[in-house]
Amino acid sequence: MSNDPAVANLINVHNHGHVHLEDSMGSDLHIVNNARVSFDQESEEFTAKERGLLNFLMRERHGSPWESVVFRFDVKAPIFVIREWQRHRMGSFNEQSARYSVVPDHYYVPETDYVRQQLGKPGAYHFDPIDDPAVAKSTIELIESTQRDAFDAYHRMLENGVAKELARTVLPVGMFSRMKWTVNLRALFNFVSLRHHEHAQREIRDYAAAVEDLAKTVVPVAFEVFEANGRVCP
Amino acid sequence: MSNDPAVANLINVHNHGHVHLEDSMGSDLHIVNNARVSFDQESEEFTAKERGLLNFLMRERHGSPWESVVFRFDVKAPIFVIREWQRHRMGSFNEQSARYSVVPDHYYVPETDYVRQQLGKPGAYHFDPIDDPAVAKSTIELIESTQRDAFDAYHRMLENGVAKELARTVLPVGMFSRMKWTVNLRALFNFVSLRHHEHAQREIRDYAAAVEDLAKTVVPVAFEVFEANGRVCP
Amino acid sequence: MSNDPAVANLINVHNHGHVHLEDSMGSDLHIVNNARVSFDQESEEFTAKERGLLNFLMRERHGSPWESVVFRFDVKAPIFVIREWQRHRMGSFNEQSARYSVVPDHYYVPETDYVRQQLGKPGAYHFDPIDDPAVAKSTIELIESTQRDAFDAYHRMLENGVAKELARTVLPVGMFSRMKWTVNLRALFNFVSLRHHEHAQREIRDYAAAVEDLAKTVVPVAFEVFEANGRVCP
Amino acid sequence: MSNDPAVANLINVHNHGHVHLEDSMGSDLHIVNNARVSFDQESEEFTAKERGLLNFLMRERHGSPWESVVFRFDVKAPIFVIREWQRHRMGSFNEQSARYSVVPDHYYVPETDYVRQQLGKPGAYHFDPIDDPAVAKSTIELIESTQRDAFDAYHRMLENGVAKELARTVLPVGMFSRMKWTVNLRALFNFVSLRHHEHAQREIRDYAAAVEDLAKTVVPVAFEVFEANGRVCP
């Protein structure tokens, strides 16, 4: 599932990014047993009956049993993606700081088919590729050169002895940052229901899809019933 | 460490209770690496340097790296203990329900040395054993018989066809309930700093001590620096 | 709206309980303006357009703007109700303690039509009144006498010098406790969507109905659109 | 206290920013009464006794009563400040979006005495003004021109029909954004204990100082005892 042959459970996303599932706790069976404690009972194995219970929990939106499964991800993403991510206030974040270390010259440059225009009206936007290929090409160049210039200015300030925390203020929201994300399955469902979704900005959608692909390997039935019940967070 | 030879990581607490560490995610090293992501760095092994960093994080109260370690416990405790536990609003709880299943006749009866009087004044109470052994003995009997009578009334109502959810209203707060608790290390530090503490009621203190003994096996250095820095939650 | 003529915004619930809306912050208009900050805009008054926006936010499940409205309630309810309430882990609770003060002899005794039997099967229960009026009558008497006996035992222990925190272990989950609850509108929607609901136990349902009646006076349009969109928490 | 004569409770911060206390709920007296509910008691007025109780609660770190006071702020700040703010995951945020509206050309340019160098070593940094005034001057110009160029590129892309959500990726983290922040007093204490603090970056420190000045007018005694007990969050 990883597309980096060197690291298991790692999916590369965009020109410098990745989502890496480092660790997890729990399984489909543990969700069942967290729910069955309300009857002071416990399942030893995962059968059709347990699958039925997971479906019931999802359909009736019993939320807390899903919180017993926990994941830790390592993520590298542009800051404009990380900002949307952290506004969920879900789970725990530890992120690279630009106050005490020099950040690498990694910034987001879109592929051609990601250079897009916004159509439609408030509440019902959609996005199509830019019509004119020349505009797409010059846009990519402008995105690239504007960010490169910002990094040049950043390095010039560092050479002049300016504090990193001040010099970084000129860096673009397209620059990549890295974070650890510890999150439970219920919060993760909420995240992917909103971000692996056509209303989400395409760049974060790609990250949310990677998160979902990786989490799915840990709790496959949980994701089946999530899908079967309209991808509504329990 | 378990005192139930049949189950690993299980500590019996009071006449019917237990704390069982079912699973965990993370280690001392992972806390370090969650912190070091702020410098975009990573440690491969846990040396004296990593121990020093854990101590620094605790002393300076950097809280989020500790959230990357997560535990799942199975707990059986009296309701008056569980109420204090859940008011922390920390972590995820799934608990046995008295609405849909008949609860077992398990209720808290204290050992003789737990029959105590309250001394001192508001804000500075302490507790000593009851002076008169005859009073201690009759208290234990009264605690036992009052709760047994309540369970008798409960069963009489069930036999008469009264709904479980109504019949249970007469049951005492001393009855045992069971719950799963998924919690991260930072929240667990908060819990034990307040409940494995001389101000806490003795019964929950015994549970908090068991939680701490079990968690300590997963992240021993984290607990060393917690102790060395005055047991203040980071 | 209050049914206690002496106190505004107070609704009596069950034999000793109440829900009292003590204070609130925000209004329908503030929810709109919290949402409109995403466009760096602000509404001066609440017109049909603002109503339409509230409906859009609810339908599309944009959750955070509803968090800008906050309530503080004073609640007196049986412990078995309070336990379900606090397990939501939503908002802030301060509750009466039985460790340091003697609790009053207030316990829940149901009205005749609340003496019920449980019918149906797991996942689809319903409740009907007990068929035999004599059983209903004797049930009420048993609920009353069992709890009175527990309070008698409690007082006997207190007279013998037993610490309050230990003596209270025999008290029933039907006893009333008091708490302050500070909660935002989004969490309150979650609470009433689950507890002012036919699946909830009748006693907490009555409390949730009172909460809803009181909150509705502060943000009437918010509750209209909540109702119009299937009472699903945004 | 406001330094904008046109708006009460508003403090301007940096070249385009502000902190505006829009509304609040509760007072010093309500904190006391949230605590006193544990004894089923209530104070009618705020006397020396109530002040003593607030001091006791702070010293002993009883946290929940402070959660009964809630504030709503409107904040305009650079994105690098907002990112640190939101990583606290405390309270509720609604923020201006650069996906659906064009953001104004507002970006952070420091005053001369804010152009600084970083001295000291990891864990014990401090910051002094840049030694050479010519460097300070050229730094300000570079910070200004780099961000202006980014906004120029942004506008060029918008003119070419590129979607706002993509064009904004080149904008600097120094650009101003606006948000509403609903937060309770306990979380606010945590925020100012960490951000109105010498270890915090100077720019967010100025915001935290403004937050504290405004909140203090609502609960003056709470802040007195916070100060008297070492500014440790309860």
Side-chain angles (χ1 to χ4, degrees):
Chain A
M1 178 202 48
S2 160
N3 57 7
D4 181 333
V7 186
N9 295 322
L10 188 149
I11 297 177
N12 290 317
V13 188
H14 297 302
N15 52 331
H16 292 288
H18 66 248
V19 176
H20 178 201
L21 175 57
E22 292 188 335
D23 205 354
S24 69
M25 181 180 90
S27 68
D28 285 323
L29 182 60
H30 290 104
I31 304 164
V32 167
N33 282 333
N34 256 55
R36 300 196 74 202
V37 77
S38 55
F39 290 87
D40 200 14
Q41 293 176 347
E42 193 145 328
S43 295
E44 297 288 323
E45 50 176 346
F46 196 90
T47 69
K49 196 178 163 196
E50 277 69 31
R51 176 183 295 265
L53 179 54
L54 282 194
N55 191 61
F56 171 82
L57 294 173
M58 185 63 77
R59 198 184 67 219
E60 300 297 318
R61 301 188 68 205
H62 290 288
S64 50
W66 314 90
E67 299 175 20
S68 63
V69 174
V70 184
F71 307 88
R72 188 179 65 250
F73 292 96
D74 184 280
V75 175
K76 187 166 178 180
I79 281 183
F80 69 90
V81 168
I82 284 187
R83 278 184 20 90
E84 296 191 333
W85 206 311
Q86 293 181 342
R87 265 202 301 265
H88 286 255
R89 298 164 301 174
M90 280 173 162
S92 302
F93 300 101
N94 281 104
E95 190 185 342
Q96 184 179 352
S97 164
R99 289 189 71 199
Y100 301 138
S101 57
V102 177
V103 296
D105 292 33
H106 292 164
Y107 42 87
Y108 175 60
V109 180
E111 299 291 319
T112 305
D113 59 329
Y114 272 66
V115 182
R116 56 205 187 262
Q117 52 187 317
Q118 175 184 307
L119 302 167
K121 57 193 176 91
Y125 292 119
H126 67 277
F127 296 87
D128 278 359
I130 280 282
D131 301 317
D132 184 343
V135 170
K137 188 160 178 295
S138 71
T139 297
I140 290 175
E141 284 163 6
L142 188 55
I143 287 176
E144 209 283 333
S145 65
T146 307
Q147 295 186 88
R148 193 182 53 228
D149 290 350
F151 270 94
D152 286 348
Y154 172 63
H155 289 294
R156 217 171 320 147
M157 284 190 268
L158 295 183
E159 281 154 23
N160 285 336
V162 174
K164 298 180 200 70
E165 67 176 23
L166 183 64
R168 59 91 175 251
T169 59
V170 302
L171 293 176
V173 297
M175 74 173 144
F176 281 82
S177 182
R178 224 185 107 204
M179 66 175 179
K180 305 279 187 182
W181 185 38
T182 304
V183 66
N184 71 45
L185 178 56
R186 186 186 193 181
L188 191 149
F189 278 142
N190 182 290
F191 177 74
V192 300
S193 75
L194 293 169
R195 301 299 183 182
H196 187 190
H197 184 284
E198 53 167 347
H199 286 170
Q201 180 159 347
R202 206 170 300 180
E203 283 79 9
I204 196 170
R205 209 190 308 167
D206 295 327
Y207 279 93
V211 163
E212 186 161 341
D213 281 351
L214 292 165
K216 204 178 282 186
T217 63
V218 176
V219 280
V221 182
F223 277 92
E224 278 177 36
V225 301
F226 175 61
E227 203 69 51
N229 287 280
R231 296 179 62 84
V232 176
C233 174
Chain B
M1 179 201 47
S2 161
N3 58 5
D4 182 332
V7 185
N9 295 322
L10 187 149
I11 296 177
N12 290 317
V13 187
H14 297 302
N15 53 330
H16 291 288
H18 65 249
V19 176
H20 178 200
L21 174 56
E22 292 188 335
D23 205 352
S24 68
M25 180 180 90
S27 68
D28 286 323
L29 183 60
H30 291 104
I31 303 164
V32 167
N33 282 332
N34 256 55
R36 298 196 76 201
V37 78
S38 56
F39 291 86
D40 200 13
Q41 294 177 346
E42 193 144 325
S43 295
E44 295 289 321
E45 49 177 348
F46 196 89
T47 69
K49 197 179 161 192
E50 278 68 30
R51 175 183 295 264
L53 179 54
L54 281 194
N55 191 62
F56 171 82
L57 294 173
M58 185 63 78
R59 197 185 67 220
E60 300 295 319
R61 303 187 67 202
H62 289 288
S64 50
W66 314 91
E67 299 176 19
S68 63
V69 173
V70 184
F71 307 88
R72 188 179 65 249
F73 292 96
D74 184 280
V75 176
K76 186 166 178 180
I79 281 183
F80 69 90
V81 168
I82 284 187
R83 281 189 11 96
E84 296 192 331
W85 206 311
Q86 295 180 341
R87 265 202 301 264
H88 285 255
R89 298 164 300 174
M90 279 172 164
S92 302
F93 299 102
N94 280 103
E95 191 185 342
Q96 184 180 351
S97 165
R99 290 189 70 198
Y100 300 138
S101 57
V102 177
V103 295
D105 292 32
H106 291 164
Y107 42 87
Y108 175 58
V109 180
E111 300 291 319
T112 306
D113 59 329
Y114 272 66
V115 182
R116 56 207 187 259
Q117 53 187 318
Q118 176 184 306
L119 302 167
K121 57 193 177 91
Y125 292 119
H126 67 277
F127 296 87
D128 278 358
I130 281 280
D131 301 317
D132 183 344
V135 170
K137 189 162 178 293
S138 71
T139 299
I140 290 174
E141 283 164 7
L142 187 55
I143 287 176
E144 209 284 332
S145 65
T146 307
Q147 294 186 88
R148 194 183 51 228
D149 290 350
F151 270 95
D152 286 348
Y154 171 64
H155 287 294
R156 217 170 321 144
M157 286 190 265
L158 295 183
E159 281 155 24
N160 285 337
V162 174
K164 297 179 200 70
E165 66 176 22
L166 183 64
R168 57 93 175 248
T169 59
V170 302
L171 293 176
V173 297
M175 76 173 143
F176 280 82
S177 182
R178 223 184 108 204
M179 65 174 179
K180 305 279 188 183
W181 185 38
T182 304
V183 66
N184 71 45
L185 177 57
R186 186 186 193 179
L188 190 148
F189 277 142
N190 182 290
F191 178 73
V192 300
S193 75
L194 293 169
R195 301 300 182 181
H196 186 192
H197 185 285
E198 51 166 348
H199 287 170
Q201 179 159 347
R202 207 170 298 180
E203 282 80 9
I204 195 169
R205 208 189 310 167
D206 295 328
Y207 279 93
V211 163
E212 187 162 340
D213 280 351
L214 292 165
K216 205 178 282 187
T217 64
V218 177
V219 281
V221 182
F223 277 92
E224 278 176 37
V225 300
F226 176 59
E227 202 68 52
N229 288 281
R231 297 179 61 84
V232 176
C233 173
Chain C
M1 182 201 47
S2 161
N3 57 5
D4 181 334
V7 186
N9 296 323
L10 188 149
I11 297 178
N12 291 318
V13 188
H14 298 301
N15 53 329
H16 292 288
H18 65 248
V19 176
H20 178 201
L21 175 56
E22 292 188 335
D23 205 353
S24 68
M25 181 181 89
S27 68
D28 285 323
L29 182 60
H30 290 104
I31 304 164
V32 167
N33 282 333
N34 257 54
R36 299 196 73 202
V37 78
S38 55
F39 291 87
D40 200 14
Q41 293 177 347
E42 194 145 327
S43 294
E44 295 289 322
E45 50 176 347
F46 197 90
T47 70
K49 197 178 160 192
E50 277 68 31
R51 174 182 296 265
L53 179 54
L54 282 194
N55 191 62
F56 171 82
L57 293 173
M58 184 64 78
R59 197 184 69 219
E60 301 295 319
R61 303 188 66 205
H62 289 288
S64 50
W66 314 91
E67 299 175 19
S68 63
V69 173
V70 184
F71 306 88
R72 188 179 64 250
F73 292 95
D74 183 280
V75 175
K76 187 166 179 180
I79 280 183
F80 70 89
V81 168
I82 284 188
R83 279 186 16 93
E84 296 192 331
W85 206 309
Q86 293 181 342
R87 264 201 301 264
H88 285 255
R89 299 163 300 171
M90 280 170 162
S92 302
F93 299 101
N94 281 104
E95 189 184 342
Q96 184 179 353
S97 165
R99 290 188 69 199
Y100 301 137
S101 57
V102 177
V103 295
D105 292 31
H106 291 163
Y107 42 87
Y108 175 58
V109 180
E111 300 290 320
T112 305
D113 59 329
Y114 272 66
V115 182
R116 55 206 188 262
Q117 53 187 318
Q118 176 184 307
L119 302 167
K121 57 193 176 93
Y125 292 119
H126 67 276
F127 296 88
D128 278 358
I130 281 282
D131 301 317
D132 183 345
V135 170
K137 191 160 175 295
S138 71
T139 298
I140 290 173
E141 284 164 6
L142 188 55
I143 287 175
E144 209 284 334
S145 65
T146 307
Q147 294 186 88
R148 193 183 53 230
D149 290 350
F151 270 95
D152 286 348
Y154 171 64
H155 288 295
R156 218 171 319 146
M157 285 190 266
L158 295 183
E159 281 154 24
N160 286 336
V162 175
K164 297 179 199 72
E165 66 177 24
L166 183 64
R168 58 90 176 250
T169 59
V170 302
L171 294 176
V173 297
M175 75 173 142
F176 281 82
S177 181
R178 223 184 109 204
M179 65 174 179
K180 304 279 187 182
W181 185 38
T182 304
V183 65
N184 71 45
L185 178 57
R186 186 186 191 180
L188 191 148
F189 278 142
N190 182 289
F191 178 74
V192 300
S193 75
L194 293 169
R195 301 299 183 181
H196 187 192
H197 184 284
E198 53 167 346
H199 286 171
Q201 180 160 346
R202 206 170 300 180
E203 283 80 9
I204 196 169
R205 208 190 309 167
D206 295 327
Y207 279 93
V211 163
E212 186 161 343
D213 280 352
L214 292 165
K216 205 178 280 187
T217 63
V218 176
V219 281
V221 182
F223 277 91
E224 279 176 36
V225 300
F226 174 60
E227 202 69 51
N229 288 282
R231 296 179 62 83
V232 175
C233 174
Chain D
M1 181 202 47
S2 160
N3 57 5
D4 181 332
V7 186
N9 296 322
L10 187 149
I11 296 177
N12 290 318
V13 187
H14 296 302
N15 53 329
H16 292 288
H18 66 248
V19 176
H20 179 201
L21 174 57
E22 292 188 336
D23 205 353
S24 68
M25 180 180 91
S27 68
D28 286 323
L29 182 60
H30 291 104
I31 304 165
V32 167
N33 282 333
N34 257 56
R36 299 195 75 203
V37 78
S38 56
F39 291 86
D40 201 14
Q41 293 176 347
E42 193 144 327
S43 295
E44 295 289 321
E45 49 176 349
F46 196 90
T47 69
K49 197 178 160 192
E50 278 68 30
R51 174 183 296 264
L53 179 54
L54 282 195
N55 191 62
F56 171 81
L57 294 172
M58 184 63 78
R59 198 184 67 220
E60 301 296 319
R61 302 188 67 205
H62 290 288
S64 50
W66 314 91
E67 299 176 19
S68 63
V69 173
V70 184
F71 306 88
R72 189 179 63 250
F73 292 96
D74 183 279
V75 175
K76 187 166 178 180
I79 280 183
F80 69 90
V81 168
I82 284 187
R83 281 189 11 96
E84 295 192 331
W85 206 310
Q86 294 181 342
R87 264 201 303 263
H88 285 256
R89 299 164 300 174
M90 281 172 162
S92 302
F93 299 101
N94 281 103
E95 189 185 342
Q96 183 178 352
S97 165
R99 290 188 69 198
Y100 301 137
S101 57
V102 177
V103 295
D105 293 32
H106 291 164
Y107 43 86
Y108 175 59
V109 180
E111 299 291 319
T112 305
D113 59 328
Y114 272 65
V115 182
R116 57 206 187 262
Q117 51 186 318
Q118 175 184 307
L119 302 167
K121 57 193 176 92
Y125 292 118
H126 67 278
F127 296 87
D128 278 359
I130 281 280
D131 301 316
D132 183 345
V135 170
K137 191 161 175 294
S138 71
T139 298
I140 290 174
E141 283 164 7
L142 188 56
I143 287 176
E144 209 284 333
S145 65
T146 307
Q147 295 186 86
R148 192 183 54 229
D149 289 349
F151 270 94
D152 286 348
Y154 172 64
H155 289 294
R156 219 171 321 145
M157 286 189 265
L158 296 182
E159 280 155 26
N160 286 336
V162 175
K164 297 179 201 72
E165 66 176 24
L166 183 63
R168 58 90 176 250
T169 59
V170 302
L171 293 176
V173 297
M175 75 173 144
F176 280 82
S177 182
R178 224 184 109 205
M179 65 174 179
K180 305 279 188 183
W181 186 37
T182 305
V183 65
N184 71 44
L185 178 57
R186 186 186 193 181
L188 191 148
F189 277 142
N190 182 290
F191 177 74
V192 299
S193 75
L194 293 169
R195 302 299 183 181
H196 187 190
H197 184 284
E198 52 167 348
H199 287 171
Q201 180 159 346
R202 206 170 300 180
E203 283 80 10
I204 195 169
R205 208 189 311 168
D206 295 327
Y207 279 92
V211 163
E212 186 161 342
D213 280 352
L214 292 164
K216 205 178 282 187
T217 64
V218 176
V219 280
V221 182
F223 277 91
E224 278 176 37
V225 300
F226 175 60
E227 202 69 51
N229 288 282
R231 297 178 63 84
V232 176
C233 173

